[in-house]
PDB file of all heavy atoms in Angstrom:
ATOM      1  N   GLY X 143     -34.945  18.625  39.626  1.00 97.00           N
ATOM      2  CA  GLY X 143     -35.434  17.318  40.016  1.00 97.00           C
ATOM      3  C   GLY X 143     -34.492  16.589  40.934  1.00 97.00           C
ATOM      4  O   GLY X 143     -33.403  17.083  41.266  1.00 97.00           O
ATOM      5  N   HIS X 144     -34.937  15.424  41.318  1.00 97.00           N
ATOM      6  CA  HIS X 144     -34.124  14.595  42.195  1.00 97.00           C
ATOM      7  C   HIS X 144     -34.565  13.161  42.010  1.00 97.00           C
ATOM      8  O   HIS X 144     -35.748  12.888  41.769  1.00 97.00           O
ATOM      9  CB  HIS X 144     -34.329  15.024  43.647  1.00 97.00           C
ATOM     10  CG  HIS X 144     -33.372  14.379  44.590  1.00 97.00           C
ATOM     11  ND1 HIS X 144     -32.062  14.770  44.715  1.00 97.00           N
ATOM     12  CD2 HIS X 144     -33.549  13.343  45.453  1.00 97.00           C
ATOM     13  CE1 HIS X 144     -31.458  14.004  45.627  1.00 97.00           C
ATOM     14  NE2 HIS X 144     -32.340  13.145  46.080  1.00 97.00           N
ATOM     15  N   GLN X 145     -33.603  12.258  42.130  1.00 98.00           N
ATOM     16  CA  GLN X 145     -33.936  10.839  42.147  1.00 98.00           C
ATOM     17  C   GLN X 145     -33.358  10.233  43.412  1.00 98.00           C
ATOM     18  O   GLN X 145     -32.207  10.501  43.775  1.00 98.00           O
ATOM     19  CB  GLN X 145     -33.407  10.100  40.914  1.00 98.00           C
ATOM     20  CG  GLN X 145     -33.860   8.641  40.875  1.00 98.00           C
ATOM     21  CD  GLN X 145     -33.347   7.876  39.660  1.00 98.00           C
ATOM     22  OE1 GLN X 145     -32.233   8.113  39.205  1.00 98.00           O
ATOM     23  NE2 GLN X 145     -34.157   6.982  39.139  1.00 98.00           N
ATOM     24  N   PHE X 146     -34.121   9.413  44.069  1.00 97.00           N
ATOM     25  CA  PHE X 146     -33.724   8.809  45.336  1.00 97.00           C
ATOM     26  C   PHE X 146     -33.158   7.404  45.104  1.00 97.00           C
ATOM     27  O   PHE X 146     -33.341   6.819  44.038  1.00 97.00           O
ATOM     28  CB  PHE X 146     -34.926   8.771  46.273  1.00 97.00           C
ATOM     29  CG  PHE X 146     -35.463  10.136  46.583  1.00 97.00           C
ATOM     30  CD1 PHE X 146     -36.492  10.679  45.823  1.00 97.00           C
ATOM     31  CD2 PHE X 146     -34.930  10.896  47.616  1.00 97.00           C
ATOM     32  CE1 PHE X 146     -36.976  11.947  46.089  1.00 97.00           C
ATOM     33  CE2 PHE X 146     -35.419  12.159  47.885  1.00 97.00           C
ATOM     34  CZ  PHE X 146     -36.440  12.687  47.119  1.00 97.00           C
ATOM     35  N   PRO X 147     -32.474   6.854  46.126  1.00 97.00           N
ATOM     36  CA  PRO X 147     -31.888   5.515  45.958  1.00 97.00           C
ATOM     37  C   PRO X 147     -32.896   4.440  45.587  1.00 97.00           C
ATOM     38  O   PRO X 147     -32.533   3.431  44.974  1.00 97.00           O
ATOM     39  CB  PRO X 147     -31.252   5.242  47.331  1.00 97.00           C
ATOM     40  CG  PRO X 147     -30.923   6.603  47.861  1.00 97.00           C
ATOM     41  CD  PRO X 147     -32.049   7.488  47.379  1.00 97.00           C
ATOM     42  N   ASN X 148     -34.165   4.620  45.947  1.00 96.00           N
ATOM     43  CA  ASN X 148     -35.186   3.618  45.579  1.00 96.00           C
ATOM     44  C   ASN X 148     -35.763   3.907  44.182  1.00 96.00           C
ATOM     45  O   ASN X 148     -36.775   3.307  43.819  1.00 96.00           O
ATOM     46  CB  ASN X 148     -36.298   3.586  46.612  1.00 96.00           C
ATOM     47  CG  ASN X 148     -37.111   4.870  46.655  1.00 96.00           C
ATOM     48  OD1 ASN X 148     -36.762   5.860  46.000  1.00 96.00           O
ATOM     49  ND2 ASN X 148     -38.176   4.864  47.430  1.00 96.00           N
ATOM     50  N   TYR X 149     -35.143   4.787  43.433  1.00 97.00           N
ATOM     51  CA  TYR X 149     -35.471   5.152  42.049  1.00 97.00           C
ATOM     52  C   TYR X 149     -36.655   6.115  41.926  1.00 97.00           C
ATOM     53  O   TYR X 149     -36.915   6.601  40.823  1.00 97.00           O
ATOM     54  CB  TYR X 149     -35.725   3.927  41.160  1.00 97.00           C
ATOM     55  CG  TYR X 149     -34.618   2.918  41.202  1.00 97.00           C
ATOM     56  CD1 TYR X 149     -34.845   1.620  41.660  1.00 97.00           C
ATOM     57  CD2 TYR X 149     -33.328   3.261  40.806  1.00 97.00           C
ATOM     58  CE1 TYR X 149     -33.809   0.694  41.715  1.00 97.00           C
ATOM     59  CE2 TYR X 149     -32.294   2.337  40.857  1.00 97.00           C
ATOM     60  CZ  TYR X 149     -32.548   1.053  41.312  1.00 97.00           C
ATOM     61  OH  TYR X 149     -31.522   0.147  41.369  1.00 97.00           O
ATOM     62  N   SER X 150     -37.362   6.386  43.020  1.00 97.00           N
ATOM     63  CA  SER X 150     -38.432   7.360  42.941  1.00 97.00           C
ATOM     64  C   SER X 150     -37.843   8.734  42.635  1.00 97.00           C
ATOM     65  O   SER X 150     -36.633   8.960  42.786  1.00 97.00           O
ATOM     66  CB  SER X 150     -39.249   7.384  44.225  1.00 97.00           C
ATOM     67  OG  SER X 150     -38.459   7.868  45.298  1.00 97.00           O
ATOM     68  N   SER X 151     -38.713   9.651  42.225  1.00 98.00           N
ATOM     69  CA  SER X 151     -38.208  10.937  41.755  1.00 98.00           C
ATOM     70  C   SER X 151     -39.161  12.058  42.140  1.00 98.00           C
ATOM     71  O   SER X 151     -40.354  11.833  42.389  1.00 98.00           O
ATOM     72  CB  SER X 151     -38.040  10.898  40.239  1.00 98.00           C
ATOM     73  OG  SER X 151     -37.599  12.145  39.717  1.00 98.00           O
ATOM     74  N   GLU X 152     -38.603  13.247  42.214  1.00 98.00           N
ATOM     75  CA  GLU X 152     -39.380  14.460  42.427  1.00 98.00           C
ATOM     76  C   GLU X 152     -39.064  15.477  41.346  1.00 98.00           C
ATOM     77  O   GLU X 152     -37.930  15.554  40.856  1.00 98.00           O
ATOM     78  CB  GLU X 152     -39.057  15.080  43.791  1.00 98.00           C
ATOM     79  CG  GLU X 152     -39.561  14.313  44.980  1.00 98.00           C
ATOM     80  CD  GLU X 152     -39.221  14.994  46.298  1.00 98.00           C
ATOM     81  OE1 GLU X 152     -38.422  15.950  46.297  1.00 98.00           O
ATOM     82  OE2 GLU X 152     -39.760  14.554  47.333  1.00 98.00           O
ATOM     83  N   LEU X 153     -40.086  16.237  40.994  1.00 98.00           N
ATOM     84  CA  LEU X 153     -39.928  17.384  40.105  1.00 98.00           C
ATOM     85  C   LEU X 153     -40.291  18.619  40.909  1.00 98.00           C
ATOM     86  O   LEU X 153     -41.372  18.672  41.515  1.00 98.00           O
ATOM     87  CB  LEU X 153     -40.852  17.247  38.889  1.00 98.00           C
ATOM     88  CG  LEU X 153     -41.099  18.512  38.062  1.00 98.00           C
ATOM     89  CD1 LEU X 153     -39.809  18.973  37.389  1.00 98.00           C
ATOM     90  CD2 LEU X 153     -42.175  18.255  37.008  1.00 98.00           C
ATOM     91  N   ASN X 154     -39.402  19.581  40.954  1.00 98.00           N
ATOM     92  CA  ASN X 154     -39.639  20.833  41.660  1.00 98.00           C
ATOM     93  C   ASN X 154     -39.694  21.975  40.651  1.00 98.00           C
ATOM     94  O   ASN X 154     -38.873  22.049  39.738  1.00 98.00           O
ATOM     95  CB  ASN X 154     -38.505  21.111  42.656  1.00 98.00           C
ATOM     96  CG  ASN X 154     -38.362  20.019  43.686  1.00 98.00           C
ATOM     97  OD1 ASN X 154     -39.225  19.827  44.528  1.00 98.00           O
ATOM     98  ND2 ASN X 154     -37.266  19.265  43.605  1.00 98.00           N
TER      99      ASN X 154
END
Side-chain angles (χ1 to χ4, degrees):
Chain X
H144 189 77
Q145 185 180 35
F146 299 93
N148 66 353
Y149 307 118
S150 67
S151 178
E152 289 181 349
L153 164 66
N154 301 292

